[in-house]
Structures are given as C-alpha cells and as structure tokens.
Amino acid sequence: SQWQSRMFKRHRDLSMIELMFATSAFSTVLSLITLVHDGMLWPAFEFIRRHSEIQLHFFIFSICSTVGQLFIFYTIKNFGAVVFAIIMTTRVLISIAISVYLYGHEVTSTGFFGLMLVVAAVCYRIKRKAEGRQLIKWKGMGAKSEKEIELVQEWHEHIDT
C-alpha cells in the first residue's frame, strides 16, 4: 500500500483504474515469465483445456478481485496507507476471532500474546494519528539535499504505516 500511496501523492491525476491496470500488467508479465521459466505454461493451458468449467471460475474470481482492488485503491487514495493498514490488520483479527468462535480453533498463550500485541500496536497507531503526531521523530536533518529529505520521508512512510 505504500507504493500505491506514493504514486497517488506524486501523480495527483492518476486514477485508480490506471494504477490497477499498471499493477495488473506488471503482475501478468511477471507471472508469464515465471510460468515460462518453470516450464509450467503449457501444462497450465492443458489443464484449462481439459477442465473448461474453470473458465467461469476464472471470470468470477476476476470480477471479485477487480472490485476488491478498486476498494483497496479507493481507501489508499482517499484515506492513506495508514488507514488501509489498520483496516487490514483489524480484518485479520476479526477473522481469527470468528475462526476461534465458529470452528473451536484454539489460540495458544503465545498466539494470544501476539494478538494482544497487534491490538495494542493498532490502538497506539490510531492514538498517535488522532493526535496528529508521527510514530517516529527524525532528528538531525539540518540543511540536507532534497534527495536526502525524500529518502528519509520515504523511510518514515514505511515505518509509520
């Protein structure tokens, strides 16, 4: 989400559709290269030929994935990467709670400690953002070049999300 957030900030006229297209095009090329390199491209096509019903599943999966990506990009563009990270962390915590409740999965004491640590971190992050304060305060910037300032700000984005 950091990369998308940075792209939306640098290119104010960039639409969610354009960013989704660029991301999908890159993923497609990377997947194609991987399939060719591993020798799995033709077996994949053969599988699709033998099981033609999978095409409907591909179509439905593509629609759901596209809608999900649009929601993700909308959230990042309008609310920022920090809000998106909080939403995703909360979603995972709720999924774990539902799994424990519905299926009787057990959470070990170590797992419970980890969950509480994540909840505490999310709450702290929300508190700091609500106060308008950064999680980390950078010192010693002085009169640096624009490139150095941009690098520190980029690192801060990664740490502060």
Side-chain angles (χ1 to χ4, degrees):
S1 63
Q2 286 299 324
W3 178 76
Q4 290 97 342
S5 182
R6 197 171 317 117
M7 293 301 292
F8 284 132
K9 285 179 185 173
R10 285 187 184 167
H11 308 283
R12 297 278 182 204
D13 59 338
L14 182 67
S15 77
M16 294 183 297
I17 303 293
E18 291 169 328
L19 186 58
M20 187 167 57
F21 176 78
T23 304
S24 296
F26 178 78
S27 296
T28 300
V29 170
L30 188 62
S31 296
L32 182 65
I33 290 169
T34 303
L35 285 169
V36 169
H37 181 267
D38 290 346
M40 297 303 294
L41 182 62
W42 298 120
F45 283 139
E46 180 61 25
F47 180 85
I48 294 169
R49 189 188 64 73
R50 281 184 287 134
H51 303 282
S52 60
E53 67 275 5
I54 199 169
Q55 293 173 15
L56 176 63
H57 295 275
F58 283 159
F59 179 74
I60 293 169
F61 178 78
S62 296
I63 296 296
C64 293
S65 178
T66 300
V67 170
Q69 281 297 109
L70 287 173
F71 279 121
I72 289 170
F73 288 148
Y74 177 83
T75 303
I76 293 170
K77 185 173 187 172
N78 292 299
F79 302 104
V82 173
V83 172
F84 177 70
I86 290 169
I87 290 170
M88 294 307 293
T89 303
T90 305
R91 182 192 65 83
V92 170
L93 290 172
I94 291 170
S95 295
I96 291 170
I98 290 172
S99 175
V100 167
Y101 179 75
L102 288 181
Y103 303 110
H105 294 147
E106 294 184 16
V107 178
T108 64
S109 58
T110 306
F112 186 76
F113 175 74
L115 288 172
M116 290 300 103
L117 192 64
V118 169
V119 168
V122 168
C123 290
Y124 179 72
R125 180 179 291 169
I126 292 169
K127 178 183 178 290
R128 294 291 288 205
K129 286 295 177 184
E131 294 170 347
R133 296 166 48 194
Q134 297 174 337
L135 292 177
I136 295 175
K137 196 168 205 164
W138 295 94
K139 294 182 180 180
M141 284 297 292
K144 305 286 182 181
S145 71
E146 284 186 36
K147 192 69 175 169
E148 290 172 317
I149 292 170
E150 183 179 332
L151 179 65
V152 169
Q153 288 173 342
E154 189 171 310
W155 272 97
H156 183 265
E157 284 178 6
H158 288 288
I159 293 171
D160 197 23
T161 57

